[in-house]
Amino acid sequence: MTTTLITDIGVLVTNTPGLGDDSTPLGLLHDAALVVDAADGRIVWAGPAADAPDADRRYDAGGRAAIPGFVDSHSHLVFAGDRTAEFNARMSGRRYEAGGIRTTVAATRAATDDELDANVTRYLAEALRQGTTTFETKSGYGLTVEDEARALRIAARHTDEVTYLGAHVVAPEYADDPAGYVDLVTGPMLDACAPHARWVDVFCERGAFDGDQARAVLTAGAARGLVPRVHANQLGPGPGVRLAVELGAASADHCTHLSDADVAALADARATTVATLLPGAEFSTRARWPDARRLLDAGATVALSTDCNPGSSFTSSMPFCIALAVRDMGMTPDEAVWSATAGGAAALRRTDIGRLAPGARADVALLDAPSPVHLAYRPGVPLVHQVWRAGTQAG
């Protein structure tokens, strides 16, 4: 007995052209049902509830809305400690700078593997309760060969979407020799880390790595089979976005300070490079909001993600990020839900997640609400009623 019929779904978000109402990017189906199979973790049927086939089990959704599980395509979960004092000071008027990362580096280096693994487990459980069924996470708080490699090994116990971010900031031991640190990141550290990662990332920003250094890191990673991602244009204008597009990166993340040329580049590369917006960072640093409306109107593909990390965005809540995107970044509720599901899947170059249709992975979040609009309409309210991950009911 492996199949479950989830029926009496008031509104089903399919994110699948042709399956639901194509007047919205969500491909909505009303009075709908799904059949999920825990044996292969897939959806085997989706459509009107009145036409649903039999299954081994039946789950009555009670008229609730169902959406694809959120796809969190940018997080930093392998860390120890927190930065409460830094946050408190910042909220009292101190500006955010990239160097705060070094505080977490010291705590992470001092932590045991078990402590780091327990942290990842904790925050993933927290995210799952809020509807996140797929996540990416990075290294970047070790900054030595050994500590970066162990971070990736720990991350890989929990997800296939693992990113090598040795180029987060220059390690403190190399403060006077940034070129030497780039040589380490592109040499021995890459050798140790590449077997455990799918992606390579770099913080291309003042206080971190400039355009030439970022290019060296990304091209070295690509030569080892890792696909580029870029922390781009968060703290100010810079070369990150156009470098991401030039190198065929899967995503340019943050995208807060964009020129017209940056926006045009992301629009032209919409099938390759996704603009991933991380409103939790702007919320937690009181920085300028990314202009999602500008990107969407230009034709760029946009994703939303939490950027969950202990310094600049300590949230695992995708619903919170949806509410921020609608309230402060110019997105409609439908656009924000799409970007937090199908957009995140695009940023991870995945077609099996972020949608609810036959053949897709059976990742379903059932909401205590009649419509996905409530994710923005009722900010801060725990609306996720039940989650299925790969066809298995969680919790």
Side-chain angles (χ1 to χ4, degrees):
M1 298 178 64
T2 63
T3 58
T4 299
L5 169 64
I6 307 171
T7 190
D8 193 20
I9 299 171
V11 177
L12 175 65
V13 173
T14 71
N15 286 343
T16 304
L19 183 59
D21 179 2
D22 287 342
S23 67
T24 163
L26 300 183
L28 300 178
L29 272 174
H30 296 269
D31 302 318
L34 290 169
V35 177
V36 303
D37 190 343
D40 66 3
R42 302 284 170 173
I43 294 171
V44 296
W45 185 89
D51 299 334
D54 292 332
D56 299 323
R57 301 179 182 88
R58 180 186 178 94
Y59 184 98
D60 190 334
R64 296 178 175 90
I67 66 173
F70 296 122
V71 180
D72 192 346
S73 61
H74 183 128
S75 75
H76 304 252
L77 299 184
V78 187
F79 69 88
D82 71 19
R83 280 148 65 185
T84 303
E86 176 189 319
F87 176 81
N88 190 32
R90 189 165 62 241
M91 293 300 102
S92 302
R94 191 175 79 200
R95 183 178 177 181
Y96 171 64
E97 299 288 351
I101 293 166
R102 295 182 181 89
T103 303
T104 302
V105 169
T108 302
R109 288 179 177 181
T112 67
D113 287 12
D114 286 346
E115 289 169 336
L116 294 175
D117 191 86
N119 252 2
V120 176
T121 300
R122 171 190 173 189
Y123 295 119
L124 289 184
E126 184 179 277
L128 182 63
R129 291 195 298 270
Q130 299 174 88
T132 298
T133 51
T134 301
F135 74 98
E136 176 269 3
T137 202
K138 310 174 193 295
S139 65
Y141 291 128
L143 309 186
T144 68
V145 172
E146 179 181 352
D147 285 307
E148 286 295 293
R150 75 165 177 150
L152 295 176
R153 288 195 301 270
I154 290 166
R157 297 173 190 169
H158 300 274
T159 182
D160 294 332
E161 305 298 346
V162 177
T163 301
Y164 167 48
L165 183 59
H168 202 180
V169 293
V170 174
E173 298 84 357
Y174 286 82
D176 296 326
D177 185 17
Y181 185 66
V182 172
D183 288 343
L184 180 71
V185 169
T186 58
M189 189 182 288
L190 176 61
D191 291 340
C193 290
H196 308 292
R198 180 183 179 197
W199 311 96
V200 60
D201 199 346
V202 61
F203 192 7
C204 183
E205 196 65 69
R206 68 171 184 265
F209 298 90
D210 65 24
D212 290 339
Q213 293 168 329
R215 181 188 298 277
V217 169
L218 296 174
T219 54
R224 293 295 302 271
L226 304 181
V227 181
R229 321 182 71 80
V230 184
H231 282 61
N233 300 59
Q234 177 188 6
L235 304 180
V241 162
R242 275 173 283 177
L243 181 63
V245 170
E246 176 194 336
L247 297 181
S251 66
D253 298 21
H254 288 289
C255 295
T256 308
H257 298 270
L258 300 182
S259 67
D260 289 345
D262 294 329
V263 173
L266 287 166
D268 289 344
R270 59 187 173 273
T272 303
T273 303
V274 173
T276 300
L277 307 183
L278 310 169
E282 279 69 39
F283 177 87
S284 296
T285 60
R286 288 181 174 162
R288 187 178 96 185
W289 298 102
D291 190 345
R293 183 80 269 136
R294 183 182 178 203
L295 286 162
L296 290 164
D297 287 348
T301 301
V302 174
L304 287 176
S305 186
T306 65
D307 191 20
C308 186
N309 75 82
S312 60
S313 183
F314 205 1
T315 180
S316 59
S317 175
M318 290 289 276
F320 175 64
C321 292
I322 287 171
L324 292 179
V326 172
R327 168 62 177 82
D328 292 303
M329 290 162 49
M331 296 184 106
T332 68
D334 285 4
E335 289 168 340
V337 171
W338 188 94
S339 294
T341 53
L348 295 178
R349 294 186 174 169
R350 298 274 297 270
T351 59
D352 60 324
I353 55 177
R355 62 189 183 94
L356 295 177
R361 201 171 80 175
D363 293 347
V364 185
L366 192 66
L367 306 180
D368 262 330
S371 163
V373 175
H374 280 233
L375 291 164
Y377 180 44
R378 304 196 67 208
V381 177
L383 291 179
V384 176
H385 177 77
Q386 186 58 258
V387 178
W388 285 260
R389 189 175 186 186
T392 298
Q393 197 170 337

